[in-house]
Amino acid sequence: MSRPTAAVAAELARAAIPHRRDEPLARHTTLGVGGPVPLFVEPRSSDEARVAVAILGDADLPYRVLGAGSNLLAADSGLDFAVVATAGLAPLPTFDGVRISVGAGVFLPRLAREAARNGLTGLEFAIGVPGSVGGAIRMNAGAWGSDMARVVKSVAGIDRHSGELGEQALAPGFSYRRSGIGPETIVTTVVFSLANDDPGVILATIERLLDERRATQPTASRSAGCAFKNPPGDSAGRLVDQAGLKGLRHGDAVVSERHANFVLNRGGATARDVFTLIADVKARVRDKVGVELEEEIVMWRGES
Ligand code: EPU
């Protein structure tokens, strides 16, 4: 039996670790949907994250880790776990030759730009990945033919079972949009290894990629990025488009007209609308083009 949330909150308060009770995840996801979690913990340092994990562990309270909430669909209700948010784990990048060390809560496009300004190439693709460094590691986020696996040197974190995992201890185990990092592992610091190039050239590439992204993706709308993984050798967006599903709608959740692999919240969507739309798209793509799509978006389903 896990200890009641109030007792865990009291322990977090004693340790002076910021937290909120009954915090709606809609406030913390780019889709703007998601019901409340009983406890929302916001450590401001790796030390606080370690203590928070110990408190949650002692209380037998399960938790999940939240980055920028840009690849996440959380249910409207029934979320009976705590959330540890990593936005506060944000030591700014430090540079050492071609290496960059950075906190997991830093916004990835910001890191991409800082790397460019410092004449380091390899992270240009990340300008199109609006997530946190830690979330991007967990998902092995990628774009334009590259991904995190190509540029990451080492990852440090904190794990419910093993405690603190130093830089060499946490093997990321990357594959396409996947890593071996578990749902209760908090990435704290990441070291990247890049290469030298002319800052002007790198920044020009970044501007070109941003233009391309704005032209092909619904960047101004609320979404959680690409909804589905690309099947080997194909594009989920092309398949959803081929099935004629652009504009398909459930409530206020709609398939983007600009890029069919994006599900948008047109304003008042509920998580139920989005879950229903995703299931409908999968079923129709299966029927019409014979391909079984797999979600890329991480889904936190409620108990009820
Ligand atoms: N296409 C269509 N209709 C559409 C969308 C795409 O026909 O509605 C066609 C395009 O014309 C193109 C092909 O499908 O011929 C591939 O499209 P695109 O170049 O947009 O790339 P993608 O495979 O759909 C991937 C990543 C994106 C990343 C872009 C840019 C996945 C699932 N998607 O998209 O990542 O931004 O490349 O490189 O890996 C994400 O992971 O959240 C994401 C958005």
Side-chain angles (χ1 to χ4, degrees):
M1 256 304 269
S2 61
R3 201 175 304 159
T5 309
V8 182
E11 278 208 51
L12 289 167
R14 267 196 292 282
I17 296 172
H19 60 280
R20 304 180 217 191
R21 305 270 304 271
D22 299 320
E23 177 68 5
L25 291 184
R27 289 188 191 150
H28 303 279
T29 59
T30 53
L31 251 178
V33 306
V37 288
L39 204 50
F40 188 86
V41 190
E42 300 173 278
R44 294 162 296 186
S45 64
S46 299
D47 269 354
E48 284 193 352
R50 186 175 39 76
V51 173
V53 162
I55 291 172
L56 295 169
D58 286 348
D60 216 11
L61 193 65
Y63 63 84
R64 309 229 177 139
V65 185
L66 178 79
S70 57
N71 195 46
L72 178 64
L73 170 57
D76 296 309
S77 63
L79 302 167
D80 60 355
F81 45 80
V83 164
V84 179
T86 57
L89 305 178
L92 295 179
T94 54
F95 294 82
D96 176 13
V98 294
R99 300 245 170 111
I100 311 178
S101 173
V102 65
V106 167
F107 194 52
L108 195 59
R110 174 184 179 173
L111 176 65
R113 215 171 261 287
E114 288 206 30
R117 284 198 199 104
N118 281 271
L120 292 175
T121 181
L123 270 173
E124 294 87 325
F125 77 90
I127 202 71
V129 181
S132 67
V133 167
I137 291 286
R138 166 112 209 277
M139 298 304 301
N140 188 18
W144 296 292
S146 192
D147 59 18
M148 300 300 274
R150 291 218 193 173
V151 285
V152 168
K153 174 83 182 148
S154 62
V155 179
I158 295 161
D159 179 82
R160 179 181 198 110
H161 305 289
S162 326
E164 199 136 16
L165 296 163
E167 275 180 21
Q168 305 311 324
L170 192 57
F174 292 123
S175 55
Y176 171 68
R177 294 295 182 273
R178 205 171 275 198
S179 76
I181 294 168
E184 290 195 318
T185 299
I186 300 169
V187 173
T188 52
T189 311
V190 180
V191 177
F192 293 91
S193 183
L194 305 179
N196 291 305
D197 201 352
D198 176 351
V201 171
I202 308 171
L203 284 164
T205 302
I206 280 184
E207 290 313 316
R208 180 174 57 73
L209 293 177
L210 275 177
D211 283 347
E212 196 179 309
R213 184 160 175 272
R214 279 190 285 260
T216 57
Q217 297 183 2
T219 50
S221 306
R222 301 203 86 156
S223 81
C226 283
F228 301 102
K229 294 182 182 182
N230 283 342
D234 209 335
S235 158
R238 196 188 67 75
L239 294 169
V240 177
D241 193 355
Q242 191 190 330
L245 303 181
K246 282 183 169 177
L248 183 68
R249 189 170 193 133
H250 280 272
D252 246 0
V254 60
V255 175
S256 167
E257 296 279 354
R258 182 166 298 178
H259 192 301
N261 199 7
F262 284 71
V263 169
L264 310 181
N265 177 359
R266 278 288 174 229
T270 61
R272 180 185 287 269
D273 292 336
V274 184
F275 278 118
T276 307
L277 182 60
I278 285 176
D280 194 5
V281 167
K282 279 180 81 164
R284 290 178 194 237
V285 168
R286 191 185 304 125
D287 286 353
K288 290 192 179 155
V289 295
V291 176
E292 186 68 34
L293 291 177
E294 186 192 341
E295 292 85 353
E296 178 184 313
I297 294 181
V298 172
M299 301 201 278
W300 290 356
R301 295 182 185 276
E303 284 304 302
S304 52

